């Protein structure tokens, strides 16, 4: 595929957006290609995804302004829906998704990062929703996910002012989970993904489902849903093997201690 590279490393899938000459800007082709890549990910052999950008300057510097400049109202709405459909697919994807943010994450790039389960970034990363400076607004979920993640006041400040923040500030306000030197970013992303991948995959998928759906329910509905998913875990081989292994290990330790 032209703009999306996919690589499998053990149980980890790595998606790289590769338009480095335009700082990996999102256009229709990129959105369509990423959608096709996600549809081909085999969750039986892949337990965690990492999304990053090609090069050392940008994760994704935004949507492609050249492609948007002459859009009509209906075309703009359709472009927003295409982006939102993809980002919602990432957000609700069966397995965890980590954004490894290697530079600029502006506009649609910041929104892409927000759709991932976790975000880690390089120390040269820059974040922002600068759309109002271009006469538009965030159109790929930025007005919704950013406020849910960092709170209404901070989200409104960033969106209304179109200001950019650095990696340190992004970490301080909870936009990212961790900051690393650029040269160590992918190593740390793979380390995080490996830590997730070594756990029971069905249980991890149920956890993601419970968190993502539960946040949109009232607490009583969410707890009921959690109970159902908790019960479903007891139908899995992972539960049988995991608990029996724990019991056997505990017995062996007690025997040794005696």
């Amino acid at each position: 595929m032209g703009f999306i590279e996919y690589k499998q490393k053990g149980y980890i899938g790595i998606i790289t957006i590769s338009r480095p000459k335009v700082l990996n800007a999102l256009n229709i082709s990129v959105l369509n290609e990423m959608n096709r890549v996600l549809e081909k990910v085999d969750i039986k052999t892949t337990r965690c995804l990492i999304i990053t950008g090609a090069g050392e300057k940008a994760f994704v510097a935004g949507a492609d302004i050249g492609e948007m400049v002459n859009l009509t109202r209906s075309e703009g709405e359709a472009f927003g829906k295409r982006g939102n459909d993809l980002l919602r697919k990432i957000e609700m994807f069966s397995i965890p998704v980590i954004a490894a943010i290697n530079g600029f994450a502006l506009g649609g790039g910041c929104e892409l990062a927000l759709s991932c389960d976790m975000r880690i970034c390089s120390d040269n990363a820059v974040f922002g929703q600068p759309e109002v400076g271009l006469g538009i607004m965030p159109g790929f979920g930025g007005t919704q996910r950013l406020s849910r993640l960092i709170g209404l006041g901070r989200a409104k400040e960033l969106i209304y002012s179109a200001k950019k923040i650095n990696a340190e500030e992004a970490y301080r306000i909870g936009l990212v989970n961790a900051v690393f030197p650029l040269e160590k970013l992918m190593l740390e992303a793979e380390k995080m993904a490996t830590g997730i991948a070594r756990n029971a995959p069905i249980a991890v998928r149920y956890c993601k489902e419970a968190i993502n759906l539960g946040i949109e329910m009232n607490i009583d509905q969410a707890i009921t849903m959690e109970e159902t998913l908790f019960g479903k875990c007891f139908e899995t081989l992972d539960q049988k093997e995991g608990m029996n292994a724990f019991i056997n290990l505990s017995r062996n330790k007690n025997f040794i201690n005696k």
Side-chain angles (χ1 to χ4, degrees):
M1 293 186 178
F3 300 127
I4 301 295
E5 299 170 1
Y6 183 79
K7 179 170 64 174
Q8 190 81 25
K9 293 186 70 174
Y11 286 119
I12 303 167
I14 302 172
I15 295 174
T16 303
I17 301 166
S18 186
R19 295 185 76 203
K21 291 183 179 179
V22 290
L23 300 180
N24 304 321
L26 302 175
N27 62 10
I28 294 293
S29 295
V30 172
L31 298 177
N32 289 342
E33 286 183 25
M34 184 174 287
N35 188 62
R36 289 195 292 270
V37 167
L38 290 171
E39 288 176 351
K40 293 180 179 180
V41 173
D42 184 356
I43 63 170
K44 292 180 181 178
T45 57
T46 309
R47 298 184 180 181
C48 190
L49 283 179
I50 298 171
I51 298 178
T52 193
E56 299 182 348
K57 294 182 179 180
F59 173 67
V60 170
D64 194 323
I65 305 301
E67 192 170 83
M68 293 193 295
V69 64
N70 292 316
L71 295 182
T72 65
R73 173 178 175 173
S74 60
E75 289 169 341
E77 187 172 341
F79 183 64
K81 177 171 173 46
R82 193 179 297 259
N84 272 318
D85 286 349
L86 173 64
L87 268 56
R88 187 62 169 163
K89 178 179 282 192
I90 292 169
E91 184 171 43
M92 303 305 291
F93 205 64
S94 297
I95 58 178
V97 183
I98 300 168
I101 303 157
N102 53 314
F104 290 109
L106 304 174
C110 187
E111 290 168 307
L112 172 59
L114 290 170
S115 72
C116 298
D117 294 282
M118 291 152 288
R119 289 150 295 282
I120 64 174
C121 73
S122 55
D123 49 14
N124 69 327
V126 178
F127 299 84
Q129 298 289 165
E131 288 88 348
V132 294
L134 300 171
I136 57 173
M137 62 176 283
F140 290 177
T143 61
Q144 305 306 307
R145 292 190 181 93
L146 189 61
S147 58
R148 285 168 167 79
L149 184 64
I150 65 172
L152 281 173
R154 286 195 175 109
K156 288 178 177 180
E157 179 185 359
L158 286 177
I159 292 170
Y160 297 171
S161 68
K163 79 174 185 178
K164 302 175 184 65
I165 60 172
N166 62 22
E168 182 180 346
E169 178 67 3
Y171 177 72
R172 188 186 73 81
I173 65 176
L175 181 54
V176 298
N177 297 69
V179 180
F180 299 102
L182 178 61
E183 64 273 14
K184 294 184 178 179
L185 178 65
M186 286 306 296
L187 179 66
E188 294 295 338
E190 290 178 23
K191 187 185 298 184
M192 178 181 284
T194 299
I196 293 169
R198 68 166 55 104
N199 292 309
I202 296 174
V204 172
R205 296 203 294 267
Y206 285 166
C207 287
K208 177 167 180 174
E209 182 179 348
I211 293 169
N212 281 355
L213 296 181
I215 198 70
E216 298 174 0
M217 300 176 179
N218 68 49
I219 187 65
D220 294 312
Q221 292 172 320
I223 287 173
T224 299
M225 177 193 59
E226 184 186 86
E227 291 168 357
T228 300
L229 292 171
F230 177 70
K232 288 176 68 175
C233 289
F234 290 85
E235 299 176 332
T236 67
L237 184 60
D238 287 340
Q239 177 268 328
K240 308 300 180 196
E241 292 181 345
M243 287 194 170
N244 282 318
F246 178 84
I247 290 170
N248 290 333
L249 181 62
S250 298
R251 286 172 178 167
N252 289 336
K253 283 185 175 180
N254 288 337
F255 178 77
I256 291 171
N257 290 337
K258 289 178 181 177

